[in-house]
Amino acid sequence: MEAGAILVKRGLLSPQQLNQLRTDRPEATRLDVAAIDLGMVSEEAALRALGDEVGIPFIDLEQQEVDLSLLKGFPLKLIHRHSLFPIQRNNGTLRVATSDPFDLYPLDELSATTGLTIEPVLAPREQIARQIKAHLGVGSETIDDLLALQDEEDIQLLDEIDVDSELSEEAQEASVIRLVNEILIEAIESRASDVHIESQAAGIKIRYRIDGMLHPQPVPPEISRFQAAIISRLKIMARLNIAEKRLPQDGRIKLRVSGREIDVRVSVIPMLHGEGIVMRILDKGRMKLSLESIGLEPDLAKHFGELIRIPHGIVLVTGPTGSGKTTTLYSSLLEIKDEATKIITTEDPVEYQLEGINQIQVHPKIGLTFAASLRSILRHDPDVVLVGEIRDMETAENAIQASLTGHLVFSTLHTNDAPSAYTRLVDMGVEPFLVASTVEAVMAQRLVRTLCPQCREAYEPKQEDMPKDFPWEEFKKRGKPLFRPKGCRACRQLGFTGRQGIFELCVTNDAVRQLAHDRASSWEIRQAARANGMRTLREDAWLKVLSGVTTIDEVSRVTKGDRL
């Protein structure tokens, strides 16, 4: 019985759907594969039905214990070309996962190669692909092709002959392109924000930053032999000088992956054992720029929404690199954007292009700094100005002058908490009375990883195991459990998917204004702000824990305990 008929017999397809497949896909060798491609049936349901019919059991490969020692003697070409993966060996029998119950030739070839009896089991192709990437590394098939090419070259020793060396270089270049593409696509599919390609004494190392945490990426050990080719390919993509290996270089790659536009910022720095590359991935399709999506608690969202609509003054967002400051500012601009408001930004670099907002990319090498661009911006009659970062006194003074002349100015600073922003500006050389009269509010923020909603598990904590400042009374009053990560297929066994902000909003009331004017310490400003109802980063984070968004360990990792 053909595969399509089996699916009809099992009630997974209707006879009408089968006839439609035969009409629409006359060239399809397997109608079950066509039905899966068109979304008529899930691969798991189809494989279970076909397996029952032909007597091959279906397994969930991610729940199986895999004997990784079997990979050493396993023919790699069968893994890559036929999506086979060895699971266990029991005496003379080898259990092998496949996603094709009808293609028995590779199993016969494997039996002949290993001298073992093959026991096939069915598993989804995607699960087998994940196992291959996890245990053999990204691009392992491409590495095999490159090694084969290199071996041929070594045997022929034709480096001096122009024609042959050109041909071998062309073939090798195609494989290197494929390898680099696989590294980038895997990073995008893993939701990585950064790719770190590090040159070390032992060879090349690749790590992905996912939700703020670095994860080593399995790669075949042979990849180190193509380190120079990989780095050169990335330099070509970023339009950098491939001959310059002594100086740092920065570039940009624009990609389209599965219909989504992806921007990749590339930084190359010479290291002790070769060049290191870090790529920042900006996925426009996945980006949600709205104040609702960044994690503001309802009371804070209402208050901040009022602040971003004031007619003039400075609103600062502070935090370390990678804490989501740009996302918050972009979300604020989109919130207040309309036809009656002219908004101009000056940024380094422009991370996302915003419709209806005028954006300037600064170029310090030619004199277009934040301060210089800000002076020019004011001649364009804006209502709202965003300065990417206040780095020096000149920029700070220009931002203050802009606010004094009736403009609303948004900007960022690098400080650990909100009250420290006032003293930081004074330390830069700005007069305290100017800081006091222009800064309307400062919001500090961090990012915490959010629990995967598919697999998070509830638990009842013990009070003695909790941090001293955990709001135990509030927890008991709510009467709801806390949650911790577990790991599932949806979150790639990490237990977390995505991040949300935690915030500390310090509004410049009369008490804070007077302290800033009097050059008071950030500690005194903090006390006054808390007396006025400011919720600290740590306290805001505990609300996320109580509502089941994140974990106690995550809060402890990102914030330190409050000292009153």
Side-chain angles (χ1 to χ4, degrees):
M1 189 183 291
E2 66 158 351
I6 293 171
L7 296 183
V8 172
K9 175 184 169 186
R10 297 272 172 164
L12 296 173
L13 284 181
S14 66
Q16 293 80 5
Q17 285 176 313
L18 183 61
N19 290 333
Q20 182 189 337
L21 282 172
R22 285 175 175 149
T23 306
D24 294 348
R25 298 279 187 100
E27 77 291 345
T29 52
R30 291 263 306 280
L31 292 177
D32 59 314
V33 175
I36 292 166
D37 288 345
L38 292 171
M40 292 180 174
V41 62
S42 73
E43 185 182 15
E44 183 174 327
L47 285 178
R48 284 183 186 277
L50 297 173
D52 280 350
E53 196 71 26
V54 299
I56 302 177
F58 177 89
I59 62 161
D60 185 342
L61 189 52
E62 288 174 354
Q63 302 298 322
Q64 294 285 315
E65 281 191 25
V66 176
D67 183 356
L68 298 179
S69 65
L70 296 172
L71 289 171
K72 289 178 184 173
F74 203 89
L76 290 182
K77 69 174 183 179
L78 292 177
I79 287 180
H80 295 307
R81 290 177 193 168
H82 301 287
S83 285
L84 301 182
F85 198 83
I87 302 172
Q88 292 155 348
R89 178 177 173 174
N90 187 13
N91 296 326
T93 302
L94 181 65
R95 202 170 195 218
V96 177
T98 177
S99 60
D100 190 339
F102 298 108
D103 188 6
L104 301 178
Y105 174 74
L107 299 175
D108 293 338
E109 186 181 343
L110 180 60
S111 180
T113 305
T114 60
L116 300 170
T117 302
I118 304 302
E119 179 195 335
V121 291
L122 292 177
R125 178 173 285 272
E126 188 184 335
Q127 286 191 9
I128 295 174
R130 272 206 289 271
Q131 292 290 333
I132 292 170
K133 283 179 185 172
H135 302 302
L136 293 176
V138 177
S140 48
E141 182 179 6
T142 309
I143 289 287
D144 282 347
D145 293 345
L146 280 166
L147 287 170
L149 285 165
Q150 202 175 62
D151 290 344
E152 287 171 23
E153 214 173 88
D154 289 344
I155 293 164
Q156 293 176 7
L157 293 174
L158 295 171
D159 284 348
E160 294 80 17
I161 303 174
D162 290 342
V163 176
D164 285 69
S165 68
E166 278 176 21
L167 287 171
S168 71
E169 276 174 22
E170 263 180 46
Q172 188 164 313
E173 188 184 346
S175 291
V176 168
I177 290 169
R178 196 161 81 241
L179 176 59
V180 169
N181 288 350
E182 284 172 18
I183 291 170
L184 287 170
I185 288 167
E186 177 66 13
I188 292 162
E189 288 178 353
S190 303
R191 298 180 299 104
S193 60
D194 301 84
V195 180
H196 294 244
I197 301 178
E198 299 161 336
S199 300
Q200 300 183 347
I204 200 170
K205 181 177 181 180
I206 298 178
R207 294 192 285 177
Y208 293 165
R209 190 178 292 280
I210 303 169
D211 293 334
M213 302 288 282
L214 278 171
H215 297 270
Q217 182 61 34
V219 289
E222 296 85 2
I223 199 171
S224 296
R225 292 164 68 173
F226 309 101
Q227 176 178 335
I230 291 167
I231 290 171
S232 293
R233 171 63 187 161
L234 285 167
K235 282 182 171 181
I236 290 166
M237 290 172 76
R239 292 180 168 79
L240 301 177
N241 182 357
I242 62 169
E244 180 55 77
K245 299 183 180 180
R246 301 164 301 166
L247 293 173
Q249 297 187 73
D250 293 308
R252 199 165 194 157
I253 303 170
K254 288 193 173 185
L255 304 172
R256 189 181 292 277
V257 178
S258 304
R260 299 205 313 270
E261 276 192 32
I262 312 278
D263 265 5
V264 183
R265 292 212 312 265
V266 182
S267 175
V268 185
I269 298 180
M271 303 277 184
L272 189 62
H273 298 290
E275 290 173 292
I277 292 186
V278 174
M279 292 178 282
R280 166 67 59 90
I281 296 171
L282 302 168
D283 187 346
K284 297 176 182 176
R286 196 169 269 145
M287 197 71 183
K288 293 178 182 174
L289 293 172
S290 70
L291 289 179
E292 290 80 32
S293 66
I294 62 175
L296 285 165
E297 294 293 322
D299 60 332
L300 213 57
K302 181 175 180 292
H303 205 160
F304 190 66
E306 292 167 359
L307 283 165
I308 62 176
R309 289 175 171 85
I310 58 176
H312 55 81
I314 298 177
V315 176
L316 294 173
V317 178
T318 78
T321 303
S323 59
K325 300 188 296 295
T326 303
T327 302
T328 299
L329 288 174
Y330 279 177
S331 301
S332 304
L333 294 181
L334 292 175
E335 185 85 10
I336 61 175
K337 181 189 79 168
D338 60 36
E339 289 300 319
T341 306
K342 175 146 185 173
I343 303 172
I344 306 181
T345 75
T346 174
E347 305 169 61
D348 183 22
V350 173
E351 293 199 2
Y352 294 98
Q353 295 170 26
L354 305 175
E355 188 68 33
I357 291 172
N358 305 280
Q359 295 170 278
I360 299 170
Q361 167 77 56
V362 303
H363 289 287
K365 288 180 182 175
I366 60 170
L368 185 60
T369 60
F370 281 127
S373 59
L374 187 48
R375 282 195 300 272
S376 301
I377 282 172
L378 297 181
R379 299 189 198 113
H380 275 240
D381 186 30
D383 299 293
V384 179
V385 176
L386 165 63
V387 183
E389 185 185 338
I390 294 178
R391 294 176 180 171
D392 51 42
M393 181 182 171
E394 190 183 6
T395 308
E397 284 188 329
N398 284 343
I400 283 168
Q401 288 304 318
S403 72
L404 288 171
T405 51
H407 303 87
L408 176 58
V409 180
F410 291 104
S411 192
T412 69
L413 266 180
H414 287 291
T415 62
N416 287 327
D417 59 12
S420 300
Y422 301 91
T423 53
R424 177 86 182 92
L425 288 171
V426 173
D427 289 344
M428 280 183 184
V430 180
E431 290 293 339
F433 76 89
L434 289 174
V435 174
S437 60
T438 56
V439 177
E440 295 296 332
V442 183
M443 188 159 77
Q445 70 177 79
R446 299 288 188 281
L447 293 173
V448 292
R449 293 184 294 168
T450 53
L451 284 163
C452 172
Q454 307 284 336
C455 67
R456 64 174 188 167
E457 60 178 15
Y459 74 104
E460 284 293 330
K462 295 178 182 175
Q463 189 169 1
E464 59 267 24
D465 297 335
M466 311 297 277
K468 289 179 182 177
D469 62 334
F470 179 79
W472 186 259
E473 294 306 317
E474 177 67 18
F475 164 64
K476 298 304 287 182
K477 191 169 81 174
R478 291 193 180 202
K480 294 179 180 177
L482 299 185
F483 291 87
R484 58 190 171 197
K486 186 179 179 185
C488 67
R489 194 183 304 172
C491 62
R492 296 186 170 226
Q493 306 302 325
L494 296 175
F496 296 92
T497 53
R499 289 185 289 176
Q500 270 196 7
I502 55 172
F503 303 92
E504 175 178 287
L505 181 61
C506 178
V507 178
T508 313
N509 62 355
D510 290 343
V512 170
R513 210 178 293 280
Q514 187 62 50
L515 288 168
H517 179 276
D518 296 343
R519 293 179 182 266
S521 67
S522 59
W523 180 82
E524 291 174 279
I525 296 173
R526 185 179 183 80
Q527 293 297 94
R530 294 202 67 180
N532 190 44
M534 182 184 83
R535 190 162 59 229
T536 66
L537 284 167
R538 183 90 161 184
E539 288 165 346
D540 198 55
W542 289 137
L543 294 179
K544 297 279 192 296
V545 172
L546 293 175
S547 57
V549 171
T550 191
T551 67
I552 290 170
D553 289 344
E554 190 66 8
V555 172
S556 300
R557 180 182 72 83
V558 173
T559 67
K560 63 179 184 180
D562 294 320
R563 291 197 298 270
L564 295 174

